[in-house]
Each structure stands twice: as structure tokens, then as C-alpha cells.
Amino acid sequence: NIPISKIIKDQFMKGIILRPGQILSMEDTRNIASQYGWEIELIQEDEINPFERLVESYQNAYREGTRLVQRPPVVTVMGHVDHGKTTLLDRIRKAKVAEGEIGGITQSIGAYQVEIRGKKITFIDTPGHEAFTEMRARGAQATDIVVLVVAADDGVMPQTIEAYNHAKTANVPIIVAINKIDKPNANIDLTKQQLASKLGLVPEDWGGDTVTVPVSAKTGKGVEDVLEMILLVSEVADIKCIPQGHARGIIIDSKLDKAMGPLATLVVKDGVLKVGDYVVAGSSAGRVKALINENGKRIKEAHPSDPVQIIGFDEVPDVHSIVYVVDDLDTSRALSQYSKGQLQKEKSVTNRRHVRLEEFLSMTGESNEKKDLKLILKADSFGAVEALKQAMSKLENTDVRIEVVHSGIGSINSSDVMLASASDAVIMGFKVKPDAQARHQADVEGVQIKVYDIIFNLIDDLKKALEGLLEPEE
Ligand code: GDP
């Protein structure tokens, strides 16, 4: 928790010049750590997570930046139920795939790619923000841009807000598609007003910086504009990849097929994935027997941002796990074995991976920076949410800040838990409870949920947490 800039500065004051990325001797490391009250323990080589070594080479390439090139954007469509996500995705696919693809659309593999004036866009065709956030909770971000669909006859609704908060915490650019403009009761201005007042998304034509596109997924009007805007936003967002070398990607869909065995769809993030490559994804290993694109065609290789189905895993890999290409079968087996071992270890110890109120102060460590307690707040009424936020803001002081990542009305659901997991937040409920799925998910993710019936108790617990005085639960 000590910023690297501080360490460099402190050492500089002692006459020692360090550079970021420099490798230190064990002795120097011990020395520096002890100045901040820490001891260093040397762990054996075989205790090091072998995946970390794998990740490192990619990270280095990104840090250097010299080998990086632009890649097509990967887009997720989110929004309130029935606002037209599926219709929009179908419309885009039909409009763009039909040409040249005799036989038309085959079965969905979970994502597809379209091309506009020679530029590609990949759409993840399982709409919904839970999948989106679950991916992030696992450290994998597949999405570069979010298209937030809002029906112009219905306006900003609870799941619009939820989806927005998910996209916002992921720091992903948002394009708003104002849908159903063909309907007689569509009200584009009112929708824009709500975007501005409820989400703080001020449309560009109102002087803000939110790209909004009026569209009818039903008639197709405006669909081209959505695609153009995606290309525009992606140019600004500077979406890059390592174009060559061993591929890695994110699994967005997987299943067991009776005839073909385990199937997994991934979106390639870096490198080139080829038939014959040895792969590992969590605890599944294998060799790529075949690659199938979204039109059901067998292809020889897949490039960054391409969605592709892999045949060849020895078991069905987890959705949202990361696939790595490795040198040989032994490496892929060794890595998958390591993952299996880790999974078992995780099951045997109670996993507390996320911040808890009782430990908030000690977990954030001894840095001089302002500490942020992240919360997700659910209550039974809008008034209660507002009252709680008000009361919370009074608890903040120069050392700590309370950040309400998301607030809403209604019971605590699994989407709240996934958001808490991804953003390392505690969930607080006032006069609402988690549903069964959320409770289970919270156990799995190690997310803390605290529920209250009395405002005073909730605020009092928060106050104690900020002072480090809250007693752990039994
Ligand atoms: P999702 O739940 O967000 O995926 O919504 P769907 O795509 O399933 O759409 C919900 C309903 O709205 C369906 O009956 C669609 O036919 C209808 N719908 C979607 N887009 C439009 C549109 O642009 N105009 C009109 N009139 N209806 C639409």
C-alpha cells in the first residue's frame, strides 16, 4: 500500500537512486521494507503461482508499449429488461453478416463480429451486466465499450442505473442507444433529461460528453449510426493488443457438447491463436483441435478481438477464465494441475478476499493517502437511500471517504454481489435482505453483506468501522 513514488523519494533522500521496474537484491529489499515496518519472507520458487510468470511477459510488453497495435473494439450491450438489447444485437448481426455469408446465421457461439468499411467490431451477444462484472471480478476485462440501451418510451429504469454503475466502475466508455424511437409514445428529450439527471450522463448535443444515438432496433433506423459511434469512440479509447506471439483470451461461453466434447468460446486479447496450439484455462488443459468462427466455419487461426470457439479442452473451462497458449502439453498440464490444487485450497479455507467493515482500517494499511470505504447500498425506499447517503456523508473526515458505488431499491441480488466483488465493496441493506442466490454468491466471492432495520444502527456501525472500533461478527 505504499506508493512506489514515495519509496523512490524516501530512498532518494537517503542518497539511493531507484528506478521503477528495477530488480533489487534480497538484502536491499529487506532493508527498504524494514524502514516501513515490514519483514520480508523468502518463498520457494515452487510456491510462486506459475500463472504469474505467464502474465508477466504480457504485462512487460504492455508496459514497454512498442509492440502494441490497435485492435477492434469488443462491445457489450446492457440495459433494462425489454428495452431492446436482444433485438438490437440481432439487427446488427443480420444487417452485417447476411452479405457474403451463404447459409446465413448459424447457432450463436456467444459473440460475433461485424465489419463496417473494413473496420471490425466484436459484439458479445449475451447481454447483461452480471456476466460483464463477473468477468471483472476475475481480473479479466473482455469489454472495451458498453452500449447502454434505453427505451425512449420507458426512460431510465432501475436496471439502466445498475448497468450504468457496472460500466462506470469498470471505467469503460459508454454509448447510449436511445431505442424504440419508432413508437408513438417515444420521448427522446425526456429520456435525455433522465440520463442527465439520474446518471449524470449529459448528451453531447446538450453540451455534455455522452454520445447518444436515437435508434429503432425494430425498423433498423439509426443502427448504422450506433456502429459508426462505436468506431469513433474506439479510436479515441485507443484499444491495443500484442499482435503476435502466444495468444491469450477470455472465455465468454463454454459447454459440453455430446459429439464434440468440451466447447469454449473465447475472445482473443493478444497474439495469434492457431490450430495445434497447447492451451490452458484455469484447471482445463488441452490442444486446439479445431477453431470455429461465429458462422460455423472452421478457421486456422484467430487474431485479437476475434471471437472463436475452441474444440480440444480436456474438460469444460469456466466461463470468464483466461486462456493462455503455452509451449507444450506438459506445461499446459502442469498449469491446470496447479489451478486444481489452488481451487481445493480455496475451498478448504474460508475465503475472505474482500474488504470487511471490521477490518476496513487495518486492511487499507498504513499509507498516508485518504482511505476509501466502498459501499453498495440497498434499501426499501428511495427516501431511505437518500437519508442514508446524507447521514453517511457526515461521517467522512480528512482520512476516510465513503464511496457509494451503487445504490438501489429492493432486495440484494447477485448482481449487487458481483459488483461488490469487482469493486471490493461491502453491501449494506436497510430493511431489505439478500435473496438466496445472492447469499450463496456472497459466500463464494467472500463479499460481506450487512443488513439493518434501524438507521441508527447502520450509521453507528459505519462510524465505528471508520474509527477501527467495530467488533468482528461472531
Ligand atoms: P431485451 O430484454 O432488452 O433483450 O429486449 P428485447 O430485445 O427482447 O425487446 C423487448 C421487446 O421490445 C420485444 O417485443 C421487441 O420486439 C421490442 N422492441 C425492441 N426494440 C424495439 C424498437 O426499436 N421498436 C419497437 N417498437 N419495439 C422494439
Side-chain angles (χ1 to χ4, degrees):
N1 286 313
I2 303 165
I4 189 163
S5 56
K6 177 169 165 52
I7 296 181
I8 290 177
K9 196 172 124 214
D10 290 350
Q11 298 309 306
F12 181 77
M13 303 302 271
K14 293 195 160 76
I16 301 165
I17 296 175
L18 299 178
R19 279 170 286 108
Q22 180 177 344
I23 310 276
L24 297 176
S25 70
M26 196 58 208
E27 196 190 329
D28 288 343
T29 311
R30 282 221 162 86
N31 210 338
I32 292 173
S34 73
Q35 293 166 26
Y36 301 94
W38 293 93
E39 272 176 33
I40 297 279
E41 185 189 338
L42 184 65
I43 55 172
Q44 291 312 310
E45 183 85 343
D46 58 5
E47 287 177 47
I48 296 172
N49 179 344
F51 281 96
E52 273 174 24
R53 226 170 297 162
L54 211 52
V55 172
E56 222 168 78
S57 58
Y58 294 96
Q59 279 173 345
N60 287 341
Y62 272 91
R63 213 175 290 132
E64 284 164 18
T66 47
R67 288 165 57 204
L68 302 182
V69 303
Q70 203 96 1
R71 66 173 169 79
V74 180
V75 178
T76 298
V77 175
M78 306 208 275
H80 195 71
V81 64
D82 279 346
H83 278 197
K85 301 179 289 292
T86 314
T87 312
L88 181 64
L89 279 161
D90 285 351
R91 167 66 64 176
I92 293 171
R93 184 162 195 203
K94 281 199 195 106
K96 291 295 159 186
V97 176
E99 310 142 13
E101 279 307 330
I102 318 133
I105 294 152
T106 55
Q107 210 181 334
S108 161
I109 62 166
Y112 64 82
Q113 204 168 48
V114 298
E115 209 171 300
I116 305 111
R117 290 181 283 103
K119 290 189 174 145
K120 291 173 175 169
I121 304 173
T122 300
F123 285 91
I124 296 185
D125 74 3
T126 40
H129 47 258
E130 272 160 60
F132 174 81
T133 295
E134 193 182 322
M135 252 180 260
R136 284 217 311 125
R138 288 164 198 243
Q141 184 146 311
T143 304
D144 303 304
I145 294 171
V146 163
V147 171
L148 185 62
V149 175
V150 186
D153 62 340
D154 204 23
V156 170
M157 296 301 280
Q159 285 164 34
T160 317
I161 300 175
E162 227 171 88
Y164 166 72
N165 284 331
H166 281 257
K168 193 180 71 174
T169 53
N171 227 343
V172 175
I174 297 168
I175 294 170
V176 181
I178 301 178
N179 191 30
K180 306 201 185 182
I181 54 164
D182 59 289
K183 285 189 123 180
N185 56 341
N187 191 335
I188 298 177
D189 274 346
L190 183 63
T191 307
K192 284 184 179 171
Q193 236 170 58
Q194 293 178 350
L195 286 168
S197 66
K198 294 190 178 173
L199 301 178
L201 290 176
V202 182
E204 275 183 325
D205 49 340
W206 288 14
D209 53 11
T210 301
V211 178
T212 58
V213 191
V215 54
S216 166
K218 193 174 172 189
T219 67
K221 188 163 189 268
V223 169
E224 285 286 332
D225 300 336
V226 174
L227 299 175
E228 291 291 346
M229 283 306 159
I230 290 171
L231 288 179
L232 207 71
V233 169
S234 75
E235 261 163 47
V236 179
D238 203 22
I239 299 158
K240 298 233 154 122
C241 68
I242 308 165
Q244 299 297 332
H246 276 359
R248 68 168 171 174
I250 298 173
I251 299 210
I252 55 160
D253 203 6
S254 66
K255 63 181 176 203
L256 186 65
D257 183 274
K258 278 198 193 103
M260 291 180 280
L263 289 180
T265 299
L266 71 128
V267 173
V268 178
K269 288 231 85 163
D270 291 297
V272 183
L273 179 66
K274 302 189 187 90
V275 173
D277 276 348
Y278 294 100
V279 284
V280 59
S283 52
S284 358
R287 183 171 194 194
V288 180
K289 284 197 203 113
L291 293 172
I292 300 170
N293 74 7
E294 76 264 28
N295 301 313
K297 269 196 189 147
R298 286 186 176 235
I299 52 174
K300 290 238 154 54
E301 50 182 56
H303 296 264
S305 299
D306 286 351
V308 67
Q309 199 168 46
I310 292 187
I311 303 179
F313 277 109
D314 60 0
E315 54 185 75
V316 180
D318 275 348
V319 173
H320 306 150
S321 54
I322 300 178
V323 182
Y324 294 97
V325 169
V326 294
D327 289 333
D328 48 47
L329 193 60
D330 283 347
T331 312
S332 110
R333 291 227 170 104
L335 284 161
S336 72
Q337 281 304 326
Y338 174 85
S339 287
K340 279 195 184 118
Q342 287 304 105
L343 276 180
Q344 251 143 28
K345 259 194 218 160
E346 266 176 37
K347 274 187 196 142
S348 61
V349 288
T350 48
N351 50 347
R352 282 228 200 143
R353 282 183 281 144
H354 293 291
V355 64
R356 301 179 72 81
L357 274 191
E358 299 79 21
E359 294 156 5
F360 160 65
L361 268 195
S362 53
M363 278 174 84
T364 46
E366 281 294 312
S367 80
N368 290 332
E369 290 181 3
K370 204 163 180 166
K371 298 179 174 81
D372 253 343
L373 176 60
K374 296 201 173 103
L375 294 180
I376 287 175
L377 183 62
K378 294 297 283 270
D380 61 340
S381 70
F382 184 68
V385 169
E386 287 307 303
L388 282 163
K389 278 191 184 164
Q390 275 271 317
M392 284 176 184
S393 65
K394 295 200 181 109
L395 296 178
E396 296 182 320
N397 57 42
T398 47
D399 295 330
V400 287
R401 202 172 75 99
I402 297 176
E403 185 188 342
V404 179
V405 177
H406 171 61
S407 62
I409 297 154
S411 61
I412 297 161
N413 56 34
S414 52
S415 154
D416 296 324
V417 175
M418 293 322 298
L419 183 60
S421 177
S423 53
D424 200 17
V426 172
I427 301 178
M428 298 192 95
F430 176 67
K431 291 199 175 155
V432 294
K433 292 209 161 61
D435 59 33
Q437 204 193 341
R439 206 170 301 143
H440 169 73
Q441 198 116 36
D443 274 350
V444 175
E445 298 290 328
V447 166
Q448 187 180 33
I449 300 179
K450 305 271 283 181
V451 291
Y452 300 84
D453 281 325
I454 298 168
I455 287 197
F456 173 81
N457 290 348
L458 188 157
I459 295 298
D460 194 49
D461 270 8
L462 259 184
K463 190 163 166 241
K464 285 184 183 147
L466 297 185
E467 290 164 359
L469 297 174
L470 189 63
E471 296 292 325
E473 295 166 315
E474 283 304 303

